[in-house]
Amino acid sequence: MMLFDTTVTNTDFLTEARNTVGKAFSFIEKIKLGGVSSGKLEIDELSDNLQTEDLLPSADNYATIVLRPKGIIVHFRNGQNRYSWVIPYYRLVIYHTRTFTIHANGHFIKLKRNKNYQENKKFLDKMIDLKNDSLNLEYYDG
């Protein structure tokens, strides 16, 4: 699993993110895509392996998702600390149930389907389209 403490600049994270999901999109690419970062999404639940020792269960915890050419980076905070989870598209699995759940390698983050989710719906659809495009899944169109 690729979870990093990114409260301060973390060179291991920067290297792993670049190698796994690609360099950040250029300014022009960001404009063409209509943005590459979600707004705040409220976390409902984290799998045990994503929970940090200092996770405050009573705190309102939020995540943001950043698109990269070959995957996504999910950033979330707890108190003063920030964590980043690097997920290549080929490992990304998404479930739309009572929550919007992102799975990879047996780990998950469940996001509440509330007002914040609705405000980010277009972004999340774009993320799914980019995943499908990167995996060349046109044979499912039928």
Side-chain angles (χ1 to χ4, degrees), residues 2-125:
M2 294 179 262
L3 180 68
F4 297 90
D5 183 341
T6 53
T7 307
V8 295
T9 301
N10 182 327
T11 54
D12 290 338
F13 161 72
L14 296 173
T15 302
E16 189 63 41
R18 192 176 324 102
N19 292 341
T20 305
V21 294
K23 290 182 180 179
F25 285 107
S26 71
F27 179 71
I28 299 297
E29 290 169 319
K30 289 177 185 178
I31 291 172
K32 286 180 182 176
L33 287 169
V36 296
S37 183
S38 73
K40 289 192 318 184
L41 294 157
E42 193 173 350
I43 297 172
D44 189 49
E45 183 182 351
L46 293 167
S47 63
D48 290 341
N49 297 20
L50 289 180
Q51 291 188 25
T52 59
E53 293 174 9
D54 60 346
L55 189 68
L56 304 172
S58 61
D60 285 336
N61 293 303
Y62 293 93
T64 57
I65 302 168
V66 177
L67 303 174
R68 289 283 182 99
K70 297 186 289 183
I72 64 171
I73 302 172
V74 180
H75 299 289
F76 60 95
R77 289 193 164 275
N78 185 268
Q80 295 300 314
N81 296 329
R82 175 180 159 139
Y83 299 92
S84 300
W85 183 20
V86 178
I87 308 170
Y89 284 132
Y90 67 89
R91 297 218 184 261
L92 177 64
V93 178
I94 297 168
Y95 294 102
H96 290 275
T97 59
R98 182 185 59 80
T99 57
F100 180 83
T101 307
I102 295 173
H103 280 259
N105 289 357
H107 313 295
F108 66 83
I109 183 169
K110 292 183 179 182
L111 304 167
K112 293 183 180 178
R113 292 182 67 171
N114 57 12
K115 179 182 168 209
N116 293 30
Y117 169 82
Q118 293 304 323
E119 292 170 356
N120 285 286
K121 184 79 174 78
K122 278 186 179 177
F123 173 84
L124 297 171
D125 290 341

